[in-house]
Amino acid sequence: DAGVIQSPRHEVTEMGQEVTLRCKPISGHDYLFWYRQTMMRGLELLIYFNNNVPIDDSGMPEDRFSAKMPNASFSTLKIQPSEPRDSAVYFCASSSLTDRAGSYNEQFFGPGTRLTVL
Amino acid sequence: GENVEQHPSTLSVQEGDSAVIKCTYSDSASNYFPWYKQELGKRPQLIIDIRSNVGEKKDQRIAVTLNKTAKHFSLHITETQPEDSAVYFCAAAGGSYIPTFGRGTSLIVHP
């Protein structure tokens, strides 16, 4: 498996524009997480899904943020409209309660999307 | 919900010294404690984890200890090397196994 895939890797946009971040989890994983990382706030959990269903979105900062998981192999995080304070690295991660290695619930992170909002 | 405190925020050591990072958690129901390492510009990756039925776990130069009574756990790195320089995150998870992360410790190992 290629691991968790995220696109784009870098995104530069202007304030007010819509931004869509994409994630493909590891095949067979039933949990998907979206995180935001900044120097000031560290690694923040925004939302997570189990079997494509959003379970906890209490970390989503405001209504400008939305996330979907239409199927087991794809998720999006959308920011509309974007603001300069949204600039951060956004990570997607996936996990499964158990795996063959026994390290259950290890979260496998994608490479991240570095978002810059001007 | 769970609250994880991590100290120190920055740790600077000389190559060959030991490094210790400490975390405390608030939810007594937490029973899974992973540690992640994030190198500069890279993604976080699991390096070691411990479950509540174990007090200590070792993997070569790294070890983690857990004190459930005091609700704290620590990461120990011995014989540090420059490639150990990274940000380390502790986390705690309960019955849902969804981890709450600490703020991270930036470890700098000077050659």
Side-chain angles (χ1 to χ4, degrees):
Chain A
D1 200 313
V4 177
I5 298 172
Q6 290 187 249
S7 65
R9 294 292 308 276
H10 302 272
E11 178 80 28
V12 181
T13 190
E14 293 189 346
M15 182 174 63
Q17 297 298 305
E18 177 180 296
V19 175
T20 299
L21 311 182
R22 297 172 176 78
C23 176
K24 176 177 167 48
I26 291 173
S27 177
H29 282 186
D30 52 358
Y31 285 86
L32 184 138
F33 306 82
W34 281 101
Y35 290 91
R36 178 172 67 176
Q37 186 174 38
T38 60
M39 288 295 293
M40 290 296 293
R41 303 171 75 93
L43 195 61
E44 299 175 275
L45 176 63
L46 300 177
I47 185 172
Y48 77 92
F49 296 81
N50 179 217
N51 292 321
N52 313 339
V53 176
I55 303 300
D56 185 354
D57 65 353
S58 59
M60 297 285 261
E62 48 200 274
D63 292 345
R64 297 185 297 107
F65 286 68
S66 62
K68 294 182 179 180
M69 192 166 185
N71 58 61
S73 58
F74 184 65
S75 177
T76 59
L77 178 67
K78 186 176 294 186
I79 308 172
Q80 166 63 17
S82 58
E83 297 182 2
R85 59 190 169 125
D86 302 331
S87 298
V89 178
Y90 290 81
F91 286 103
C92 174
S94 71
S95 72
S96 179
L97 268 185
T98 57
D99 64 20
R100 283 171 292 182
S103 290
Y104 62 85
N105 212 49
E106 173 182 355
Q107 292 197 3
F108 293 84
F109 284 78
T113 295
R114 182 173 295 277
L115 173 65
T116 303
V117 183
L118 303 174
Chain B
E2 176 66 275
N3 182 49
V4 177
E5 299 284 339
Q6 183 172 349
H7 300 280
S9 57
T10 305
L11 180 58
S12 183
V13 300
Q14 289 295 128
E15 182 177 0
D17 288 349
S18 295
V20 180
I21 302 170
K22 299 181 178 181
C23 291
T24 61
Y25 61 98
S26 60
D27 188 351
S28 57
S30 289
N31 53 18
Y32 174 60
F33 306 91
W35 286 86
Y36 286 77
K37 175 183 180 182
Q38 185 180 26
E39 297 177 354
L40 188 62
K42 301 287 183 64
R43 72 193 78 185
Q45 291 187 291
L46 182 75
I47 55 171
I48 194 168
D49 57 15
I50 190 168
R51 297 170 200 173
S52 59
N53 58 346
V54 176
E56 181 176 358
K57 185 177 179 179
K58 289 187 70 173
D59 183 3
Q60 299 183 340
R61 294 186 299 107
I62 61 173
V64 58
T65 59
L66 171 65
N67 184 327
K68 285 218 75 180
T69 302
K71 290 191 282 190
H72 66 70
F73 56 113
S74 302
L75 178 71
H76 303 252
I77 306 175
T78 58
E79 300 172 22
T80 53
Q81 301 167 4
E83 52 264 39
D84 294 329
S85 296
V87 177
Y88 292 81
F89 293 95
C90 65
S96 69
Y97 298 113
I98 306 302
T100 299
F101 284 87
R103 288 292 305 272
T105 295
S106 178
L107 174 64
I108 303 165
V109 181
H110 298 281

